[in-house]
Amino acid sequence: MKPLMLHGHERSITQIKYNRDGDLLFSSAKDTKPNVWYSLNGERLGTYNGHGGAVWCIDIDWETHHFISGSADNSLRFWDCETATTLSKYETKTAVRACGFSYCGRKVMMTTDKQMGHECVLMLYDIREGSKEPFLTVPIDGPKVTAALWGPLDQYIITGHENGDLCQWDTKTGNKLLTVHEHTKQINDIQMYKDQTMFITASKDHTAKVSVESIPRQETNC
């Protein structure tokens, strides 16, 4: 098997993600310009121009209609996947470190860095309403969030922290549901298994660990 070399970024990669169908690969880096590639042959399909700082996080909705990217320019951008047009821009006080679409694709979450006197914050937005204000804001006490994703049926958010902690946050109340210390150093990424029964974490402690979901599933409105 011959590997494909994808040349398109000028600085180090921060995150890569396939779309649901697996035919497209999205990448972000510290060079401010997320890219999208054909996964079959490695051909670059396009570039998302607009950020003014390193892009730390990206995500794609299930239908590959929309794309989001969080940046050190203190913003999260909401894009049209096909045209690479910015549909909306959410301003923050510090860099956006993690972001993600909900299971239903109608909500977006993001976390911001703890810096310049500002606390790390988890924020949830309903993109159907077009509001630039979050419907839920959760200040994060302690170590900042370095990775995050939605749990099954959008009931909670899973966050990974710079001290190796994993936490679960209720998406209706903002309450912390659970904290476990799985890693000894910063968690760099979290990815969910396709049936959402398990997820994997990658850490600076040179390990990757698979965890099983532990919160009972309930009905949710989206």
Side-chain angles (χ1 to χ4, degrees), residues 98-115:
C99 65
F101 281 103
S102 64
Y103 179 84
C104 66
R106 299 170 182 172
K107 299 174 185 176
V108 167
M109 67 85 178
M110 75 168 95
T111 69
T112 59
D113 271 352
K114 182 178 182 179
Q115 59 185 202

Side-chain angles (χ1 to χ4, degrees), residues 50-57 68-79 86 88-99 110-112 123 125:
H51 280 299
V55 180
W56 294 116
C57 54
I68 54 175
S69 55
S71 172
D73 66 4
N74 299 353
S75 74
L76 180 135
R77 286 179 179 261
F78 181 68
W79 309 81
T86 299
S88 188
K89 182 180 178 182
Y90 299 86
E91 302 282 356
T92 58
K93 294 180 180 179
T94 59
V96 178
R97 180 62 58 171
C99 65
M110 75 168 95
T111 69
T112 59
M123 292 177 284
Y125 295 82

Side-chain angles (χ1 to χ4, degrees), residues 202-213:
S203 170
K204 282 187 175 181
D205 65 8
H206 304 161
T207 67
K209 296 186 178 183
V210 175
S211 300
V212 178
E213 293 293 344

Side-chain angles (χ1 to χ4, degrees), residues 32-72:
T32 77
K33 298 177 181 179
N35 288 330
V36 57
W37 319 75
Y38 287 115
S39 59
L40 180 62
N41 57 17
E43 178 184 352
R44 182 162 58 173
L45 178 59
T47 300
Y48 296 85
N49 296 305
H51 280 299
V55 180
W56 294 116
C57 54
I58 55 175
D59 198 22
I60 315 96
D61 68 8
W62 276 43
E63 297 177 328
T64 320
H65 288 164
H66 299 122
F67 170 72
I68 54 175
S69 55
S71 172

